[in-house]
Amino acid sequence: MKTIAEYKQMLAAEGLLASDNAETADFSQEVTDVSYNSLTVKPGTLFLCKGANFKEAYLADALAKGACGYVAARDMNMGPDVPCLVTGDIRAAISKISAFYFNRSWDKGLKLIGLTGTKGKSTTATMIKAILDLYRGREIGFSSGIYTYDGQHREKSRKLTTPETIELHRLLDGCVRNDCRYLVMEVSSQGLKYDRVADLHYEVCGFLNISEDHISEAEHSDMEDYFTSKLKICPDSRSRIACVNLDMDKTYLPRVLAAAQASCEKTVTFGFDSAAEVQGLAVEEGPGYIVVKAVLDGREEVFRVNIGGGYNGSNALAAIAICRQLGVPIETISEGLAHVKVAGRMETYTLDRNVDDRGLRT
């Protein structure tokens, strides 16, 4: 348990505290939870006022339910006795507050693998999970647009590819408590742009590709905003090792490599480009599977991948490159890919065509 005063001190140290009313309000109260959803507030919750559509009624409801104070971009005038922390950057403050609440447990007990790119994140993440499940000897943590898993609870994802900050931090904390050791996650452009992952550090990140997507008033104003949001997976030592696809659009590749080389301890390339360190040689397609021939560690290897579609050869190379950087043996990578199943992606269905007594197929 930490007091509101300790949250105040933390925000001040991070340069995120604009003002407070500690002179009139009791900041010695203990914070038992943090939330930006008034429906989940319970006594002792520090309420976070966020969102373009935020209404004062949400804060009033939270206080009526026992919230001990609130954090907002301005003083909401709830009275001098209600603890108020004002910040100039509410999203950055939420990330710091949530990480402070969970004691950044993921820094001590979890290796994070983050994947960004326009296409292939879910498939690549599932490939990596299949490999690391085998390597770890049990299921690792997972966060994608398909589902999340913290070592005990599996939940279907709702709207966001990358969960909002508190939900994401709670998932990571659960993975630590459940001894997952690893978590692989999709990192969306929105998750990066709006600081949902600002307090995470990836052991390995993968930059898969880039093409036009999510360009709208509600998401990214233009392609440059979309691309620079994705680049945020590298700066400030956010990722220790970067794995970069040399086959991506050459308009953006040099900037991705420059960002990775400037910020990460190590940059590894993959792809069918002859300069790639994990180099794909060929992809052969079969019914419900592909065979990827690749050169890595100076040797030619063959991987049978239990998912169809020749384009998934690129996703397989990404998974191979990332898992090798995690120290996974080639034999384990090969076995994991041979048994991977990706829900909703290139699944094979067999129709049972029966003939009725009229000679018609049913």
Side-chain angles (χ1 to χ4, degrees), residues 44-106:
T45 298
L46 182 62
F47 189 68
L48 313 174
C49 305
K50 84 164 183 72
N53 298 317
F54 181 79
K55 299 177 182 178
E56 288 190 13
Y58 302 152
L59 174 56
D61 183 38
L63 294 172
K65 290 178 177 177
C68 62
Y70 68 96
V71 182
R74 61 181 178 85
D75 190 329
M76 306 293 282
N77 298 313
M78 291 295 163
D81 296 332
V82 179
C84 167
L85 297 172
V86 177
T87 178
D89 189 337
I90 188 63
R91 286 193 172 273
I94 287 172
S95 183
K96 294 297 181 185
I97 288 168
S98 180
F100 193 58
Y101 174 77
F102 289 105
N103 293 313
R104 300 186 64 92
S105 61
W106 46 88

Side-chain angles (χ1 to χ4, degrees), residues 242-246 253 257 261 267-271 275-279 321:
C243 290
V244 179
N245 183 4
L246 285 191
L253 176 60
L257 287 172
Q261 290 163 356
T267 300
V268 176
T269 58
F270 66 90
E277 292 165 79
V278 177
Q279 182 194 356

Side-chain angles (χ1 to χ4, degrees), residues 184-236:
V184 59
M185 65 178 292
E186 296 183 50
V187 187
S188 68
S189 58
Q190 295 281 293
L192 288 159
K193 180 177 181 178
Y194 293 115
D195 288 337
R196 294 179 207 155
V197 297
D199 280 271
L200 305 187
H201 295 282
Y202 299 101
E203 179 69 10
V204 186
C205 76
F207 205 117
L208 306 182
N209 48 60
I210 185 76
S211 59
E212 188 168 334
D213 201 5
H214 301 291
I215 310 302
S216 69
E217 292 182 3
E219 294 182 277
H220 298 282
S221 57
D222 53 32
M223 190 64 189
E224 182 64 15
D225 181 62
Y226 175 55
F227 175 62
T228 53
S229 294
K230 287 195 170 294
L231 271 186
K232 290 176 70 176
I233 200 167
C234 291
D236 303 321

Side-chain angles (χ1 to χ4, degrees), residues 9 15 96 115 142 153 192 197 328:
Q9 292 166 3
K96 294 297 181 185
L115 301 172
F142 193 71
H153 307 100
L192 288 159
V197 297
V328 181

